[in-house]
Amino acid sequence: MKARLGIWVILAALVLAFLALPAYPAGASHGGRTPTPTRTPARTPTPTPPPGGPPAPTILAPANGAQLSEPLTLSWSAVSDPSGILGYNWQVSTSPTFQAIAMQDSTNDGVLQDSVSGLPNGTYYWRVDVVNGAFVTSPWSATRSFTITGQAAGTPGTPAFTGPAPNAQFHPYESYTYTWTAVSNAASYRFEYDIVDSTFSGSQVNTIVTTDPSRGMDFGQPFVVYARVRGVAADGTLGLPSATLVVNITYSAPLPPAPILLGPANGAHVSLPITFSWNVDPNPQSGEYTLEIADDPSFTGDCGAIFFCNNQIDGSQYTLNFMSSGTKYWRVRAMHGDSGPNTPALSPWSEVRSFIPDVAPTGVANVQLSRPSVVAGDTTMLFGNVTLTAPAPPGGAVVSLTSSNPAALAVQSSVRVAQDTIGSPSFSLTLGQVSAQTVVTITATYNGSSGSANMTIVLPALDQIHFANGSTTTSAFGGNPAPATVLLNGPAPSGGAVVTLSSSDPATAGVPASVTIPAGATSASFTASTQPVGTAKNVTLTGTWQGASVQATLNVVPNVAPTLLDPADGASFSSGTSITFDWSAVNGATFYILQIATSSSFASPLVSTNVFATQYTTSSLPAQQLWWRVEAIDGTGRTSAWSPARTLTIH
């Protein structure tokens, strides 16, 4: 299929100021409702253009009066204009006066022909005009006629509608489905509808392409809908249209009948879960059913005041996993769009049936706590929830709460579960003091039924030793101090936590005998003092408290300066040259500091930058003699010695 310019739409916007909108398919949403399509009037012949407008094209084929089979090709001469050409419009009509348009379309500039198919046998008239770059339309060409005598082999057959029934009535916003017979040679179908003209003449026609022989629709306002459908071959050839099917969208469409209840049977004893079912609607809608369940057959107050109500149910059944005890009553009704502006079209209520749920009196199903365990002294908010076995009765359910050890873990005295719900809001827990690991049970009681959950309160314990980089392993240049931190997994008890420290190699990395974490705090810092080494040594630092230990590894490495590699000392470069500074890697270094200065004192360096590799490239150094050097930074943030400086000259 060739690209379309859409000149008909452009001209309609400029001349008539209307816009054609397609209907929405069934189930589509636009603010909760499908908008009603508006319509563009049929294109009227364009008046003779002012002087300087483009001339009319000349029809080339088919010959006037030709007898042809479909598909056929219309062709015309090219037109030039100083403002350029936007494209061409053509029309086909059953009348030489073009009072009714059987088919029309547009082509882009340079496309001087188009294919026509899908017209019933008979005589037709056609013409073409052109639109220039200034949106000026030429006069119509001379009119020619042709007669269609049949369709070529391979043309799709003609579908026939199988639903809905002719002159069927539906409410605004009630969805319904067009169905039709599948036909030979059809790769897809073109469903066409019009709410203005039963002859489908002009630009009022809305077109929807589908590969299935069906199309769901709904409309938001009352009017008559004219519809037809035709097959479309894989190459775009159109088959003949079906007979026109008329459907009426009206507020006075018949209301759906009352649903017929299927189960549970009237007066039946049922156990959870309970499935309520009713007959299948002959024209199913999305979210059409309302199911009400009440403690009395009058359903006083309807939704919002009865035991259960859901007014957005799809399908013909609904399952509930909860129910209070005592005889219940249920009923169902359906909605099919609107029976007036903002007035739903509702079926009558079904019969009222009763059932007797075989459920125990409402009690406590379970208790949930926010955490299974907590460290003594933790200040994080603690809470819990209660779930009942069935929705709370009118006025709600007050559930009593108790703690097996209020001094260790206190709980509020009660929590209220709202009417017709099964879950409570959160209740609060308050952590107290313990001298040993303690398990506390929180119990909820209602209507003689209880449920409980446990929370374990544990004493704080050693968590880890880490270095300044946040890791339990790091490197340090021998002779540099190595800061470290010991952590607990919770606040230290009153009196603090005295953590014993030791080193696997005190001659290489010594540590204090102990460090104290203050009461209520979770960490304390200490420093390992390292000695110069000739080769790298791994030293294990150990912290011990309450019989438990944690360890960290300190890799003590020789404190050596980087070796400068390139450029050579005294090297010379032209101004603007890209220069790469290169040096050797140092064991234990996490990054390097490169300095470039205008004096050997490096008092005010031009460059002083962190480099996470062993190279640095720049082309923006000034034209003069410069000095450069590098130092390494270990995992504790301490520095090595500076490398011997080198010079270079920029000229």
Side-chain angles (χ1 to χ4, degrees), residues 9 92 198 243 570 578:
V9 176
V92 175
S198 62
S578 180

Side-chain angles (χ1 to χ4, degrees), residues 1 20 40 42 63 86 101 189 201 216 229 271 296 316 330 365 416 431 465 480 510 524 526 558 568 570 580 588 649:
M1 298 288 289
T40 302
L86 290 178
I101 305 301
Y189 297 90
S201 176
V229 64
S271 57
D296 65 86
S316 59
W330 68 290
R416 179 182 293 273
L431 193 62
I465 294 173
N480 286 341
F526 66 93
T580 297
T649 301

Side-chain angles (χ1 to χ4, degrees), residues 208-245:
I208 299 173
V209 176
T210 175
T211 56
D212 296 321
S214 65
R215 183 65 187 185
M217 303 292 288
D218 68 69
F219 296 90
Q221 291 184 13
F223 40 61
V224 177
V225 183
Y226 306 97
R228 66 185 185 184
V229 64
R230 63 177 84 221
V232 184
D235 64 358
T237 298
L238 302 178
L240 297 180
S242 68
T244 299
L245 178 63

Side-chain angles (χ1 to χ4, degrees), residues 113-367:
Q113 64 180 34
D114 212 345
S115 179
V116 174
S117 57
L119 296 173
N121 290 354
T123 298
Y124 295 90
Y125 303 86
W126 78 284
R127 62 187 180 180
V128 62
D129 68 12
V130 64
V131 181
N132 69 9
F135 295 98
V136 177
T137 305
S138 76
W140 286 110
S141 68
T143 299
R144 281 191 182 180
S145 68
F146 58 85
T147 299
I148 296 176
T149 58
Q151 288 72 43
T155 299
T158 303
F161 279 112
T162 55
N167 295 306
Q169 295 183 350
F170 299 97
H171 297 92
Y173 297 113
E174 178 180 2
S175 63
Y176 64 96
T177 301
Y178 290 94
T179 58
W180 55 86
T181 57
V183 296
S184 60
N185 302 320
S188 62
Y189 297 90
R190 193 163 90 171
F191 176 77
E192 300 169 349
Y193 70 94
D194 199 312
I195 61 172
V196 176
D197 184 1
S198 62
T199 66
F200 299 88
S201 176
S203 57
Q204 303 97 321
V205 180
N206 290 273
T207 299
I208 299 173
V209 176
T210 175
T211 56
D212 296 321
S214 65
R215 183 65 187 185
M217 303 292 288
D218 68 69
F219 296 90
Q221 291 184 13
F223 40 61
V224 177
V225 183
Y226 306 97
R228 66 185 185 184
V229 64
R230 63 177 84 221
V232 184
D235 64 358
T237 298
L238 302 178
L240 297 180
S242 68
T244 299
L245 178 63
V246 178
V247 168
N248 297 283
I249 309 300
T250 172
Y251 287 129
S252 60
L255 289 171
I260 299 173
L261 304 186
L262 300 179
N266 192 38
H269 283 261
V270 293
S271 57
L272 295 176
I274 304 172
T275 296
F276 302 86
S277 62
W278 48 91
N279 67 308
V280 177
D281 193 309
N283 185 30
Q285 305 292 299
S286 175
E288 69 172 300
Y289 292 106
T290 296
L291 167 65
E292 291 188 347
I293 303 172
D295 292 312
D296 65 86
S298 67
F299 295 87
T300 303
D302 291 329
C303 283
I306 59 177
F307 175 79
F308 176 83
C309 176
N310 187 334
N311 58 8
Q312 290 289 317
I313 297 176
D314 288 326
S316 59
Q317 65 178 32
Y318 191 81
T319 299
L320 279 176
N321 294 309
F322 62 88
M323 189 65 60
S324 61
S325 59
T327 300
K328 296 290 185 292
Y329 301 86
W330 68 290
R331 63 183 183 178
V332 177
R333 72 178 174 188
M335 180 177 71
H336 278 220
D338 284 356
S339 61
N342 302 313
T343 302
L346 298 172
S347 76
W349 283 107
S350 69
E351 65 171 321
V352 174
R353 283 188 179 181
S354 67
F355 64 95
I356 303 168
D358 293 329
V359 296
T362 301
V364 175
N366 58 66
V367 178

Side-chain angles (χ1 to χ4, degrees), residues 343-638:
T343 302
L346 298 172
S347 76
W349 283 107
S350 69
E351 65 171 321
V352 174
R353 283 188 179 181
S354 67
F355 64 95
I356 303 168
D358 293 329
V359 296
T362 301
V364 175
N366 58 66
V367 178
Q368 307 89 33
L369 302 182
S370 57
R371 295 165 66 178
S373 65
V374 62
V375 178
D378 193 337
T379 58
T380 305
M381 180 181 293
L382 302 174
F383 59 90
N385 299 89
V386 174
T387 303
L388 301 181
T389 57
V398 178
V399 181
S400 299
L401 301 171
T402 59
S403 168
S404 64
N405 188 342
L409 186 65
V411 64
Q412 64 189 67
S413 61
S414 65
V415 65
R416 179 182 293 273
V417 180
Q419 175 181 331
D420 298 330
T421 64
I422 61 173
S424 77
S426 296
F427 58 79
S428 61
L429 299 165
T430 304
L431 193 62
Q433 295 294 324
V434 297
S435 58
Q437 180 169 310
T438 303
V439 178
V440 181
T441 301
I442 302 298
T443 301
T445 304
Y446 174 71
N447 207 15
S449 170
S450 296
S452 61
N454 294 333
M455 183 175 288
T456 302
I457 305 172
V458 299
L459 295 177
L462 280 174
D463 185 31
Q464 64 172 220
I465 294 173
H466 68 230
F467 298 101
N469 63 355
S471 173
T472 59
T473 301
T474 196
S475 297
F477 295 137
N480 286 341
T485 301
V486 60
L487 288 89
L488 302 180
N489 64 359
S494 59
V498 180
V499 180
T500 301
L501 300 175
S502 63
S503 168
S504 65
D505 185 354
T508 301
V511 294
S514 65
V515 62
T516 299
I517 300 175
T522 59
S523 66
S525 298
F526 66 93
T527 299
S529 57
T530 68
Q531 303 300 316
V533 295
T535 58
K537 294 183 179 181
N538 281 331
V539 180
T540 301
L541 307 184
T542 302
T544 303
W545 182 64
Q546 300 273 355
S549 297
V550 291
Q551 294 180 328
T553 301
L554 180 62
N555 179 228
V556 183
V557 298
N559 189 342
V560 296
T563 299
L564 304 186
L565 302 177
D566 195 54
D569 193 23
S572 179
F573 300 92
S574 299
S575 179
T577 300
S578 180
I579 304 171
T580 297
F581 296 86
D582 192 7
W583 56 91
S584 64
V586 173
N587 185 19
T590 56
F591 65 95
Y592 302 87
I593 297 178
L594 165 68
Q595 289 187 343
I596 305 172
T598 58
S599 70
S600 59
S601 67
F602 290 88
S604 298
L606 296 172
V607 175
S608 184
T609 185
N610 297 341
V611 183
F612 292 87
T614 58
Q615 286 186 340
Y616 178 81
T617 301
T618 181
S619 59
S620 58
L621 297 175
Q624 65 182 97
Q625 186 179 30
L626 301 171
W627 284 258
W628 68 287
R629 64 181 182 178
V630 179
E631 69 176 352
I633 309 297
D634 67 15
T636 69
R638 305 292 176 169

